[in-house]
Amino acid sequence: MGVPRDMARLFELTALGGDVFVADSPSVGRSRLFGGQVAGQALRAACRTADGRPPHSLHAYFIRPGAPEEPLRFEVARTRDGRSFSTRHVTASQGGKPILELIASFHEPEDGFDWQAPGPSGTPAPEDLPEHWTPPGFSRHPDGFEVRVVDPPDEDGFPVPQPFWIRTDRPVGDDPALHACLLAYLSDMGMVSSARAPGSPKRLVTAVTLDHAMWFHRPPRADRWLLFSAGPVTNHGARGLARGTLHTADGTLVASIAQEALLRPAAR
């Protein structure tokens, strides 16, 4: 079976030559583009120039909000190709103005130690959790993801309750680059709300991503259950930092995430 229809369209980039690509940005009920979409598509553009090397990290800065229904242009600069690593710089733009800058690094697979800190414990398996509830914000994503939350939300359904299980709702093939891009997409889900300080006001005038970083520790599979756990690290002024992890059902750490968000509270 192929990639889910709507998700496939997101990652179908058209090459214009000279390491320049364009992609669609369909509207899914948001007033601005979802940051994970732009980052995932930018990573896809970088992967198209990396000669099959898998990505091991990305660092992105969100400069301007993106507009739905307006094509995205991705310009890739081949910063370096070494014996073991490749580096790519991607600028995503709309209307001639950059909306995201992303640097991705790619690592030729090689042997080494395989160790990780202990993963989460005591978390119910996804099969033991109800299927009917979807976090409200997740309805504004393309069809193709299945989500199961571990803890029930509060009466407002906000913030997105962490941790939660997530996967694509059908197999997506064996292209490792596509799986990495799908993980980059979903790595932004719920991260802004996870950066809020405990006990801080729910209503915010501004709640947007400033920058986003991700490390791929092991080859990911986006079509198998992943436990997404995230929480706040610090808040100061109008900025908050959250860290997150993605673990497989057997506790293997697949990826780590860090995100800083702009969090401006509403006037009292």
Side-chain angles (χ1 to χ4, degrees), residues 151-162:
D151 297 314
D154 61 21
E155 59 183 11
D156 297 324
F158 181 85
V160 174
Q162 295 275 2

Side-chain angles (χ1 to χ4, degrees), residues 46-220:
C47 289
R48 291 276 293 269
T49 72
D51 299 323
R53 281 182 173 173
H56 75 87
S57 67
L58 65 85
H59 298 261
Y61 284 90
F62 295 87
I63 304 171
R64 293 182 177 88
E69 302 294 349
E70 183 176 337
L72 277 160
R73 179 184 176 94
F74 299 94
E75 298 183 31
V76 183
R78 304 192 184 210
T79 309
R80 181 177 184 269
D81 284 304
R83 288 183 298 176
S84 300
F85 290 88
S86 296
T87 307
R88 297 291 184 265
H89 180 191
V90 186
T91 300
S93 61
Q94 284 183 321
K97 296 182 179 180
I99 66 171
L100 174 139
E101 298 280 355
L102 179 143
I103 297 175
S105 183
F106 300 80
H107 183 202
E108 191 73 29
E110 56 183 283
D111 294 332
F113 292 108
D114 190 357
W115 176 90
Q116 68 172 64
S121 60
T123 303
E127 295 79 9
D128 298 330
L129 296 170
E131 303 179 31
H132 62 277
W133 189 83
T134 298
F138 284 21
S139 64
R140 294 178 297 170
H141 293 284
D143 294 335
F145 286 111
E146 182 179 2
V147 178
R148 299 194 186 175
V149 298
V150 174
D151 297 314
D154 61 21
E155 59 183 11
D156 297 324
F158 181 85
V160 174
Q162 295 275 2
F164 58 86
W165 292 96
I166 187 168
R167 67 178 178 183
T168 58
D169 63 4
R170 66 193 72 181
V172 295
D174 296 319
D175 178 5
L178 177 59
H179 283 274
C181 293
L182 284 164
L183 255 67
Y185 181 106
L186 66 85
S187 72
D188 191 27
M189 290 183 174
M191 285 296 287
V192 170
S193 59
S194 295
R196 294 169 57 251
S200 62
K202 293 181 180 180
R203 294 188 179 276
L204 299 169
V205 173
T206 305
V208 296
T209 304
L210 292 173
D211 53 277
H212 188 86
M214 188 172 186
W215 296 265
F216 301 93
H217 306 301
R218 293 167 179 83

Side-chain angles (χ1 to χ4, degrees), residues 162-163 187 189-196 211-215 227-235 240-247 253 255-261:
Q162 295 275 2
S187 72
M189 290 183 174
M191 285 296 287
V192 170
S193 59
S194 295
R196 294 169 57 251
D211 53 277
H212 188 86
M214 188 172 186
W215 296 265
L227 182 64
F228 194 164
S229 303
V233 177
T234 185
N235 276 223
L241 179 69
R243 280 200 296 253
T245 56
L246 288 164
H247 286 83
L253 179 63
S256 296
I257 305 152
Q259 184 179 104
E260 188 178 43

Side-chain angles (χ1 to χ4, degrees), residues 22-37:
V22 293
D24 290 336
S25 55
S27 175
V28 290
R30 293 174 175 269
S31 60
R32 62 179 67 188
L33 289 182
F34 175 57
Q37 173 197 320

